[in-house]
Amino acid sequence: MDLVDALEQTFQHTQGVIGNVRPDQYDNATPCSEWAVHDVLQHMIAVVAGMGAAAAGADRPPFELGPDPAGQFREASATAIAAWRAPGVLDKIIDAGPGPMPGRVVAGINLLDTATHTWDLAKATGQPTQLPAGVAEAALDASRSIISPEIRPGRFAPEASAPSGAGPTEQLVAYLGRNPSV
């Protein structure tokens, strides 16, 4: 699957998950042990907005979670996908925060971060956790090319074991150090 198509499908799936998060769930624990649902929402939408701005060559906008996270995500993801679809953006060098890198890598990070935290939100709020197969496969490919043993400490737990016969979603979350069966 094309990287930007996978990112757009991820955004569409994420929109549905965020739309089903209730304010009374904001304090729920997530698989990101240091973050509650509110924190994951804040992070996800800020990252999508920030990476979209970086892809467009604009300054990273300030972000604060408001009363309509689904609306905020819809706006941020529409702006981001338009930037990622601009001709040549995947081949240019983009500085989205951690330093300049090829646009294709930044888009892969955007895909990986959004898909993973969508799983986290779904898990924390009792929603179905399966990502669309193409999205999970694209995010797993991106994670394998982005996450090296050197960057795991402090960002990702050691790789967990995926259950026998695990599908792409379970393989992705296990690769990222989450327990897919919890």
Side-chain angles (χ1 to χ4, degrees):
M1 175 180 294
D2 173 78
L3 178 60
V4 178
D5 289 344
L7 187 58
E8 185 169 25
Q9 283 188 0
T10 303
F11 289 166
Q12 291 167 355
H13 178 73
T14 301
Q15 183 67 51
V17 172
I18 291 174
N20 287 320
V21 173
R22 300 183 319 268
D24 68 320
Q25 296 173 315
Y26 283 8
D27 291 331
N28 288 12
T30 71
C32 294
S33 60
E34 66 279 358
W35 286 349
V37 166
H38 177 275
D39 304 313
V40 172
L41 285 168
Q42 171 81 23
H43 168 80
M44 286 177 68
I45 301 168
V47 165
V48 169
M51 289 189 171
D59 290 333
R60 176 175 269 198
F63 181 79
E64 185 171 326
L65 193 64
D68 181 16
Q72 288 179 292
F73 185 81
R74 185 174 25 263
E75 183 179 318
S77 63
T79 301
I81 207 66
W84 287 121
R85 290 220 178 268
V89 73
L90 294 178
D91 299 319
K92 73 179 188 177
I93 300 299
I94 297 174
D95 189 350
M101 58 186 76
R104 186 169 305 284
V105 174
V106 177
I109 293 168
N110 199 174
L111 169 64
L112 169 61
D113 188 81
T114 305
T116 304
H117 290 308
T118 299
W119 183 87
D120 293 333
L121 278 179
K123 194 76 158 165
T125 59
Q127 298 182 55
T129 56
Q130 290 299 307
L131 299 167
V135 166
E137 290 162 0
L140 182 58
D141 287 346
S143 67
R144 288 183 173 147
S145 67
I146 294 166
I147 300 170
S148 64
E150 299 79 31
I151 72 162
R152 268 194 191 271
R155 291 187 180 109
F156 301 96
E159 184 175 356
S161 295
S164 177
T169 297
E170 292 81 11
Q171 291 175 37
L172 171 66
V173 297
Y175 184 78
L176 299 173
R178 289 159 167 80
N179 183 344
S181 60
V182 172

